[in-house]
Amino acid sequence: MRKERGRVIEVLQEENQAVPIGVVGSPSDTNQITIDILESAENSRIRGQMVYLVLPHEGQQMAVLGQISRVETKNRWHEDMAFRGIIKRQGELQNLSGRADVRTATISVQAAFMISENEKGEEFSSEDMLGTSPSTGKAVYAVRDEVLSILLEKHQKEIVYLGRVFGTQVKMPQHLRHFGKGTGGVGEAYHIGVFGKTGSGKSGLAAYLLLCYARQREMGVLFIDPQGQFSSGWGLPFDLHRALFAQGRDVKVYKMATGLRLGDNALQFCELLAKAKFYQFLGIKNADNAEIAVEVLYNHVRKALTAAGAKLDAAPGNLLRDTLTLWIADEKSLERIYTGKERREQLAERLRQILSDAEEFTDCQKRWTTALDMFQKIDSKGNERTPLSQVVASMIRTAETDTQPFIFLDISGEGTEFKDDDEIKALLLKEIASTLNREGGEAFAQGKQLNCLVALDEAHRFVRNFTRSSDTTEMSKLTTEFVDAVRTTRKYGLGYLFITQTLASLHREIIGQLRLCAFGYGLTMGSELANLNELVGDPEALSLYRSFVDPQSRKQYPFMFTGPASPLSFTGSPIFVEMFTRYEDFVAANPWADYSGVPKVRNTPLPTRGYKDEESFEKARTLDFD
């Protein structure tokens, strides 16, 4: 608002606009201020309101802002035991009930701005701290958009609006900076958490976060998508890929089912065969025997590849037949699996049957190919696959002066035997995390500072809240990998974004490393509330959070943000935001996000399941924020 430049105090105290809702009461201190509510504001919605007051401070004026977390009504006559008997019989005290009520509110100080003058006599604001408690009787006003604009004028270029101040129509200013240095950068990486029950609005918020970070072309983004929702745009409140394209980002989507391959690792291939029920098909059903069979098969696969002069990524078509033939001929390998002669002979006979019976061999080949496709340059369906490690490494190796990659990894496995196997997805995630850690470390050693955000949706499905040394599952290994990553990758310039339904599901070490958090509806029971209390530590803020109403009843999606989410939160106090649910409102507040003039982009087939055409799908998604 350029027309307001140089007259900060006038905007703050403009008679026609500044609406007092109360005055400073007692007791108040530098962290929490008591407000005596004026009679004119008693019937207004006060809780959640953001307010400000202007105080004299060291010869200048200071604007102090906070959000009302609690409102309390007191009536000394209703507290008097002598009158309670009358109330019991009559229901009220004539001329005292209501009229003698005193309402007080409590605000937690979120920000303070010193109002100074430059050499031209123009007023400007700068962040400061409230150094003494305010005097009683000072007027307290409801915040307006004009007030926030004039106080945050120097931040205007980096401010984004994800929604409104909780319970009001005032836009909440927020900033989402890249991790690098220079304009718009915070100078270091940090980790982020988005929490909330199903239907709390996590997906809508995550989509807005991705779009806001997309403005920062210096920042690379890798989104790991276990459900394929963000890779396709399914269930989001706007066309995410089109919006990203409008920001000048070259969006790439890789699908586990058709576009990604694992490294040249024959042992990993043999382990994946277990997920395809390959060993069960051979008649090896006991878990211990199957574990030994993995090692045995691995040795024979290596021998068959060596004899063919081939690697796993271009495996010859007769690899299965050659491997089973070697296995039958190796008596010692059969004995390793079964020490008993009868079971050993049964296994050998089963292998001979598969090799001699065309139908049996075809069934066996299907299971074999299911796993082998994930290692092939060109799979059995003719899909050309890119190494997963290469895709991940591209996030690290892009020149710092170039627009950084924006990549979606769809690991949903749609169309494969592994679609519902979280252990397989955990294996892929472990390779992603280890590649990032390795490549990031090498880049750091060479003096390169990364600027990357790695987002993981549905984190609770893959990262456990504890690990045991005896647990050798892929999920346990992945949890250990992520715990190590959040400790070490920040110094490389690489931050993680975890999107999950619960706090209790994540490892405490990961939660302890999160700097920016957004909490949606539903974390109010048992261990969830205890963890939230430990993270936030502000009982008044928690009280306001617990007042959130189920979004499905009103289609309003409130979030509590902690950490560096806004230029108004530099004191560390949480801010409360009601998210924009219509993209039109988001664009009205953030004109840079308008993609109406950009052609539609499809990186993946539109998932119009349940809708007769694309138009019906687009119309439905504008109503779906959560």
Side-chain angles (χ1 to χ4, degrees):
M1 295 186 58
R2 284 291 175 189
K3 66 179 181 178
E4 309 292 2
R5 185 176 179 84
R7 57 187 193 95
V8 179
I9 295 298
E10 184 179 339
V11 171
L12 294 177
Q13 297 182 330
E14 192 171 359
E15 289 187 13
N16 295 331
Q17 299 295 325
V19 180
I21 65 167
V23 297
V24 175
S26 179
S28 296
D29 57 35
T30 55
N31 295 317
Q32 289 191 329
I33 298 175
T34 299
I35 303 174
D36 292 328
I37 304 299
L38 297 178
E39 186 176 13
S40 58
E42 284 183 347
N43 295 322
S44 304
R45 176 171 177 171
I46 299 173
R47 192 179 193 188
Q49 180 88 256
M50 182 169 279
V51 297
Y52 70 95
L53 57 150
V54 181
L55 309 170
H57 194 77
E58 295 185 336
Q60 300 183 76
Q61 296 292 308
M62 172 177 280
V64 180
L65 290 86
Q67 206 157 358
I68 295 176
S69 55
R70 182 167 58 92
V71 182
E72 182 180 53
T73 299
K74 283 194 173 185
N75 187 315
R76 65 178 294 266
W77 304 108
H78 275 245
E79 295 176 17
D80 192 321
M81 294 300 295
F83 286 96
R84 288 195 172 183
I86 299 174
I87 296 170
K88 180 180 178 180
R89 292 190 299 273
Q90 298 183 359
E92 64 175 359
L93 297 174
Q94 191 172 2
N95 298 323
L96 292 176
S97 294
R99 292 187 179 184
D101 288 353
V102 176
R103 284 183 174 82
T104 58
T106 303
I107 68 168
S108 297
V109 174
Q110 289 178 316
F113 296 89
M114 185 69 79
I115 314 301
S116 307
E117 287 189 4
N118 60 20
E119 61 277 5
K120 297 179 181 179
E122 296 175 333
E123 294 173 344
F124 66 94
S125 63
S126 57
E127 292 86 350
D128 210 313
M129 62 172 285
L130 181 59
T132 186
S133 56
S135 300
T136 56
K138 282 290 180 182
V140 178
Y141 304 95
V143 158
R144 313 184 310 279
D145 285 322
E146 296 86 355
V147 169
L148 297 180
S149 293
I150 197 72
L151 290 176
L152 301 174
E153 185 175 23
K154 70 178 182 180
H155 297 288
Q156 284 303 315
K157 289 184 179 180
E158 63 188 47
I159 281 177
V160 296
Y161 299 97
L162 304 182
R164 301 181 177 90
V165 175
F166 180 61
T168 75
Q169 293 300 307
V170 177
K171 299 189 298 291
M172 175 65 84
Q174 296 183 251
H175 54 194
L176 298 167
R177 299 172 174 176
H178 64 82
F179 298 152
K181 298 177 181 179
T183 305
V186 69
E188 63 175 359
Y190 52 81
H191 305 305
I192 306 168
V194 175
F195 304 90
K197 283 189 174 180
T198 299
S200 62
K202 297 189 303 299
S203 295
L205 171 57
Y208 282 152
L209 291 177
L210 291 178
L211 179 53
C212 291
Y213 278 122
R215 293 180 73 199
Q216 317 284 354
R217 298 189 186 185
E218 305 93 332
M219 172 181 270
V221 177
L222 175 66
F223 194 98
I224 305 168
D225 193 1
Q227 294 182 311
Q229 179 182 21
F230 288 83
S231 301
S232 63
W234 169 256
L236 300 179
F238 62 99
D239 190 335
L240 176 60
H241 291 214
R242 188 178 174 194
L244 295 175
F245 182 75
Q247 297 305 311
R249 303 307 289 262
D250 181 19
V251 179
K252 297 186 184 301
V253 176
Y254 297 90
K255 296 172 69 72
M256 181 182 87
T258 57
L260 290 172
R261 63 182 168 93
L262 297 171
D264 187 24
N265 189 330
L267 179 59
Q268 197 174 64
F269 163 60
C270 294
E271 290 172 342
L272 276 184
L273 284 171
K275 305 296 182 182
K277 300 181 179 179
F278 178 79
Y279 300 103
Q280 283 183 272
F281 186 78
L282 300 183
I284 306 171
K285 298 180 180 179
N286 181 275
D288 293 334
N289 296 124
E291 190 173 331
I292 298 171
V294 168
E295 297 176 13
V296 168
L297 186 67
Y298 164 61
N299 290 328
H300 293 311
V301 168
R302 280 198 311 163
K303 289 177 183 177
L305 288 171
T306 301
K311 290 187 176 181
L312 196 61
D313 60 12
N318 60 348
L319 181 61
L320 172 58
R321 187 172 293 278
D322 290 348
T323 300
L324 295 184
T325 301
L326 287 170
W327 196 348
I328 294 172
D330 187 354
E331 182 66 26
K332 288 186 177 180
S333 68
L334 294 170
E335 190 174 340
R336 280 192 63 193
I337 300 170
Y338 292 117
T339 55
K341 183 178 179 181
E342 183 178 353
R343 290 294 293 125
R344 200 162 59 240
E345 289 178 350
Q346 287 176 352
L347 175 56
E349 180 58 33
R350 176 61 178 156
L351 295 177
R352 282 191 286 268
Q353 180 188 13
I354 291 171
L355 287 172
S356 60
D357 189 311
E359 286 189 15
E360 289 285 333
F361 187 81
T362 299
D363 287 344
C364 187
Q365 183 88 48
K366 286 179 182 177
R367 290 166 171 79
W368 176 270
T369 302
T370 295
L372 186 61
D373 274 350
M374 295 187 65
F375 296 84
Q376 298 284 279
K377 290 180 180 178
I378 300 176
D379 65 24
S380 62
K381 297 180 178 66
N383 299 309
E384 187 172 342
R385 292 176 175 256
T386 305
L388 177 60
S389 59
Q390 179 181 315
V391 173
V392 175
S394 69
M395 297 291 301
I396 310 297
R397 298 174 183 173
T398 304
E400 295 179 65
T401 54
D402 295 343
T403 298
Q404 298 300 300
F406 209 109
I407 297 173
F408 291 92
L409 292 183
D410 179 356
I411 63 169
S412 63
E414 190 75 38
T416 72
E417 294 290 327
F418 305 132
K419 178 178 179 292
D420 299 316
D421 196 322
D422 284 347
E423 280 283 296
I424 296 293
K425 296 176 184 180
L427 186 151
L428 294 171
L429 288 170
K430 184 164 67 71
E431 181 159 335
I432 292 168
S434 60
T435 301
L436 286 168
N437 204 5
R438 182 182 65 254
E439 294 280 344
E442 291 177 2
F444 182 75
Q446 295 169 10
K448 180 182 178 182
Q449 188 70 18
L450 306 182
N451 193 347
C452 298
L453 176 69
V454 179
L456 173 61
D457 193 20
E458 297 289 312
H460 55 278
R461 290 172 53 188
F462 308 102
V463 184
R464 292 180 172 173
N465 56 3
F466 66 91
T467 56
R468 293 192 181 97
S469 57
S470 59
D471 190 347
T472 60
T473 62
E474 293 299 334
M475 294 225 187
S476 180
K477 295 175 185 176
L478 174 62
T479 300
T480 302
E481 191 75 43
F482 271 124
V483 168
D484 181 59
V486 296
R487 290 171 179 161
T488 58
T489 60
R490 278 187 61 247
K491 66 182 180 183
Y492 304 155
L494 190 155
Y496 280 91
L497 163 60
F498 296 95
I499 305 168
T500 182
Q501 293 182 11
T502 66
L503 274 166
S505 64
L506 282 187
H507 198 285
R508 289 182 65 84
E509 182 68 27
I510 293 176
I511 292 176
Q513 294 288 339
L514 299 177
R515 186 174 167 196
L516 171 59
C517 294
F519 303 99
Y521 170 80
L523 308 176
T524 55
M525 302 293 288
S527 61
E528 294 298 327
L529 185 60
N531 287 331
L532 190 59
N533 182 48
E534 187 176 336
L535 277 175
V536 178
D538 182 344
E540 296 295 341
L542 282 177
S543 174
L544 185 54
Y545 170 79
R546 295 182 74 178
S547 72
F548 286 178
V549 176
D550 187 346
Q552 299 306 311
S553 65
R554 301 170 60 191
K555 293 301 178 184
Q556 294 177 347
Y557 300 87
F559 277 86
M560 175 176 67
F561 287 83
T562 62
S566 168
L568 296 178
S569 58
F570 59 83
T571 64
S573 295
I575 61 171
F576 294 81
V577 184
E578 214 163 76
M579 308 303 298
F580 292 126
T581 55
R582 298 172 64 250
Y583 192 66
E584 291 83 354
D585 295 333
F586 181 82
V587 170
N590 305 278
W592 55 265
D594 185 7
Y595 58 71
S596 57
V598 177
K600 293 185 178 181
V601 179
R602 288 282 173 244
N603 285 295
T604 57
L606 184 68
T608 55
R609 51 183 179 265
Y611 299 94
K612 63 180 181 180
D613 52 33
E614 183 173 328
E615 183 180 354
S616 302
F617 169 75
E618 294 289 356
K619 184 178 179 181
R621 93 151 122 208
T622 62
L623 305 176
D624 184 14
F625 181 80
D626 61 345

